[in-house]
Amino acid sequence: MMGGHHAACGAAAWVAVTSTAPYTLGIYPVSDVGVITGAIVCAGAALLPDADHHSGTIAHSLPPVSEGVANLVETISGGHRRGTHSILGIAVFTALAWLAGLVTYESDTFGTVAVGAGVVAILLVAFALKALKLTRGGKLGPWIGSITIAVLVALLAPEEWNWLPVAVGLGVTVHIIGDVMTTGGCPLLWPITFKAPRWVRRTNVLNDIWRPGGNFALPVLGNAGSVREWLFLIPVTAYAVAGVVWSLLTQMGLDTSGTYTLLVSSFGV
């Protein structure tokens, strides 16, 4: 799945899980500020598994830091679409986000400042902005955009960083699911790899699910960047945007629930 599509899926997943707007699950409800900012952070987290590629798009999203992170992740994970695209990868990324949240600084002016979470968020926001083509070339622009969003969260709702591990775990999980839905699949049980035997490689359908190298796939979207993938992402992106706009309007004081109820009654739905 393409980078921008991963980001959109991450944002949509965050809206579905955290928002209490209509057509959402609301199983981990957060404030409206949390829905808005978390959608951006989760979009960035949905790109984390591809930090295993030193020449990938997000490796250049926040130079020179993102380049160093990509080189490190690629070395530890064994290369592109290996360790970071596994169940173990989900656990490790989530644990690192939780550990980062423990790094705080006590300030007389601002109280407890979540330094670690803020640093992680800056990187994730940079990933999201780059994948969604909201930042251009150059080194200064991505830093300004990412730091601005992280500072706004810290000042407006510093307690919001409590959801960072959830956003990271959800984003990484959504990324892996997205890649499983393409022909390449993912090595879910890495570092254990079960390569497909010859009889599987010769069996139609089964060889699409159990890939020769041991990856697991349910390739309903076909190859990455296919027409099917683009069609799938149209409603996903619309859902994410609608959820963020709902929270934004609510935060601005609009009676979104009342307005929605009135509209539903008017149309007799």
Side-chain angles (χ1 to χ4, degrees):
M1 185 174 281
M2 299 176 67
H5 296 169
H6 279 305
C9 287
W14 181 256
V15 168
V17 169
T18 63
S19 176
T20 54
Y23 308 109
T24 61
L25 302 175
I27 57 179
Y28 184 79
V30 299
S31 69
D32 293 311
V33 172
V35 173
I36 299 166
T37 56
I40 301 174
V41 172
C42 194
L47 295 159
L48 264 177
D50 282 345
D52 60 2
H53 194 357
H54 69 277
S55 59
T57 301
I58 64 171
H60 307 298
S61 60
L62 199 68
V65 173
S66 57
E67 296 162 345
V69 170
N71 286 326
L72 178 62
V73 172
E74 183 176 24
T75 300
I76 295 175
S77 66
H80 182 51
R81 204 177 273 210
R82 299 191 70 181
T84 59
H85 289 69
S86 66
I87 296 173
L88 178 60
I90 297 173
V92 170
F93 279 126
T94 304
L96 289 175
W98 175 75
L99 288 173
L102 299 180
V103 181
T104 60
Y105 172 75
E106 295 297 330
S107 168
D108 293 335
T109 304
F110 299 105
T112 302
V113 180
V115 178
V119 170
V120 171
I122 289 172
L123 185 62
L124 297 182
V125 169
F127 286 175
L129 296 180
K130 183 70 172 180
L132 296 173
K133 303 185 185 305
L134 297 177
T135 52
R136 300 296 180 183
K139 297 183 178 181
L140 187 58
W143 280 99
I144 293 175
S146 303
I147 292 176
T148 298
I149 293 176
V151 169
L152 284 174
V153 177
L155 295 178
L156 295 176
E159 72 281 356
E160 295 294 350
W161 291 133
N162 294 333
W163 47 248
L164 183 63
V166 179
V168 169
L170 180 61
V172 174
T173 300
V174 167
H175 179 111
I176 293 173
I177 292 174
D179 280 349
V180 165
M181 293 170 67
T182 63
T183 53
C186 292
L188 298 181
L189 299 180
W190 188 92
I192 302 172
T193 302
F194 298 99
K195 293 187 176 181
R198 183 176 300 176
W199 68 269
V200 169
R201 297 198 298 268
R202 294 178 175 177
T203 305
N204 291 334
V205 179
L206 190 57
N207 57 13
D208 290 329
I209 297 174
W210 191 352
R211 305 300 296 163
N215 286 4
F216 173 76
L218 291 173
V220 294
L221 297 180
N223 295 327
S226 67
V227 174
R228 277 178 282 173
E229 181 180 317
W230 280 93
L231 292 176
F232 172 72
L233 262 295
I234 292 174
V236 168
T237 303
Y239 179 86
V241 171
V244 170
V245 170
W246 175 282
S247 294
L248 179 61
L249 293 176
T250 303
Q251 181 65 27
M252 292 171 61
L254 181 68
D255 182 12
T256 48
S257 296
T259 303
Y260 173 77
T261 301
L262 180 61
L263 289 173
V264 168
S265 300
S266 300
F267 288 100
V269 179

